[in-house]
Amino acid sequence: MHQSAHKIALPPAPGTFNYTFDTKVGFKAQYAPTGVTGCAIGFGTGGCAFPGGGSLSLPEFTGFQMQSQEFKVFIPAGARSFLFSGYAAQGTQSAFVLRYGKEPTRVAALSGSEYQAAQTGERIDTSFARLVNEDVDHFVVHDGGGTLRFVGGQLDANRSSTNQGKWLYVRQLSGAALFDYQGAIDVDMPKYAAGYNAITWTTSPFPDPVDAASPGGGGGTTNPPVAGTTVTTTVASAAGQSLKLDITMTQSATEVAANPQISTWVAARIPANGLFYTTDVWFFRKVDGWAQLLLPFPENVAYSSLGTNATTLKFSPSMDLTDTDLRAFNIEIYFGYKTSTGAFVSKGKVWPQ
């Protein structure tokens, strides 16, 4: 979830109601520990943005459908309450399974009786405490009314907070496409700040906490980048033609032996602008065309999927648009790959240099 562009509202100038926004990607940038206990993370307001609750707002995807998705949201150390909801068209049904700290085990759709039991037994106002304290799958279903509440409530009545940061995993089991995800979290700011400073971050250009727990005192491991792997990019097309890149990836024999198969991705990032895109948008180049990512199947948008590895690999994607056309929208091209261990390694922006 945090790898999508997140528009963070900045406080208006004194005496005005004109809000501006700062777009960031990745939990590390999105939720730097500023503010005060119970108030908004990501900027200092001098007071609560949402009195009585505080807020750590999650990305909103207006009109961005998320069908049969798996995603995760990081709940940090110091969290005292957590609210999370989405929206689906009225009169539709959707079922989700949630688990705190690990992926849910359930993958099959709910039976009719299970769906009814989840709907009639819903206790969203205590669900945050139960997710944190119960190491089991939790089911959430859409009641047909539009808004779907995933999580709500305080950790306990004494305003206690979580001692470590963990991911909340969400898997859609069935139902209509959802959009407009949003949420809020109330934190003990000193405890949150200590936990944030102890997090072990991923090696992504836009870091998130690693999947392992991130206690206030540290903890967790990460997948380090493959130090011996280099990527070079050259333009293989003439001026005025559709841009074609030669992306050459070089590795040691040891790295190839450890990763006999490899998948690669070529992605185009269209940054938020004042025209068509209010948030950053990503498209993935396949050999036969462009596609958008629909989790949980990233291999479906790979440029090359589970190919035979070698010390030197060359990929030559065509972008279908000229250099001039791409630059007009400030488009950037990124490259990444996945090793045999399942670790994704981003080599960052490869064009323009």
Side-chain angles (χ1 to χ4, degrees), residues 71-320:
F71 57 91
K72 58 185 181 179
V73 179
F74 191 70
I75 300 178
R80 303 194 300 195
S81 66
F82 182 63
L83 309 175
F84 184 44
S85 64
Y87 181 85
Q90 293 187 2
T92 58
Q93 291 190 340
S94 305
F96 292 79
V97 58
L98 288 69
R99 194 157 187 161
Y100 178 73
K102 65 180 67 170
E103 293 185 21
T105 60
R106 181 67 177 249
V107 293
L110 299 182
S111 66
S113 59
E114 288 176 317
Y115 194 100
Q116 182 63 37
Q119 191 173 49
T120 57
E122 183 181 86
R123 294 174 292 146
I124 294 297
D125 290 340
T126 62
S127 59
F128 178 51
R130 288 184 285 112
L131 278 166
V132 171
N133 295 317
E134 300 173 5
D135 185 20
V136 297
D137 288 355
H138 291 256
F139 299 116
V140 174
V141 299
H142 187 217
D143 64 5
T147 298
L148 188 154
R149 298 175 65 201
F150 286 99
V151 186
Q154 300 179 8
L155 187 61
D156 61 38
N158 298 318
R159 304 290 286 153
S160 300
S161 61
T162 53
N163 292 319
Q164 57 184 335
K166 288 187 178 182
W167 288 95
L168 172 65
Y169 295 84
V170 183
R171 175 182 296 142
Q172 184 169 6
L173 302 176
S174 64
L178 299 181
F179 49 97
D180 287 355
Y181 285 79
Q182 50 191 309
I185 191 166
D186 173 68
V187 299
D188 177 320
M189 183 56 72
K191 192 172 182 179
Y192 171 79
Y196 177 96
N197 291 332
I199 287 174
T200 301
W201 302 101
T202 63
T203 56
S204 163
F206 310 107
D208 282 337
V210 298
D211 280 0
S214 298
T221 58
T222 187
N223 295 309
V226 182
T229 301
T230 60
V231 171
T232 58
T233 305
T234 58
V235 175
S237 53
Q241 296 180 341
S242 295
L243 179 68
K244 183 179 180 180
L245 302 177
D246 282 342
I247 303 173
T248 303
M249 181 174 169
T250 305
Q251 309 168 84
S252 70
T254 301
E255 290 161 348
V256 172
N259 301 286
Q261 288 187 313
I262 192 168
S263 296
T264 63
W265 284 263
V266 176
R269 170 181 170 265
I270 304 177
N273 55 59
L275 297 174
F276 305 106
Y277 303 105
T278 57
T279 62
D280 288 5
V281 178
W282 290 83
F283 292 92
F284 291 82
R285 181 67 200 188
K286 302 171 65 175
V287 171
D288 58 353
W290 292 97
Q292 282 192 283
L293 176 62
L294 293 175
L295 292 175
F297 306 113
E299 291 285 342
N300 287 350
V301 296
Y303 185 78
S304 65
S305 181
L306 300 176
T308 301
N309 206 357
T311 54
T312 301
L313 297 169
K314 188 168 86 168
F315 310 95
S316 300
S318 175
M319 300 300 140
D320 293 344

Side-chain angles (χ1 to χ4, degrees), residues 55-76:
S55 172
L56 183 157
S57 60
L58 299 169
E60 296 186 8
F61 300 91
T62 303
F64 185 87
Q65 294 188 337
M66 304 174 72
Q67 178 70 48
S68 300
Q69 279 273 25
E70 288 184 336
F71 57 91
K72 58 185 181 179
V73 179
F74 191 70
I75 300 178

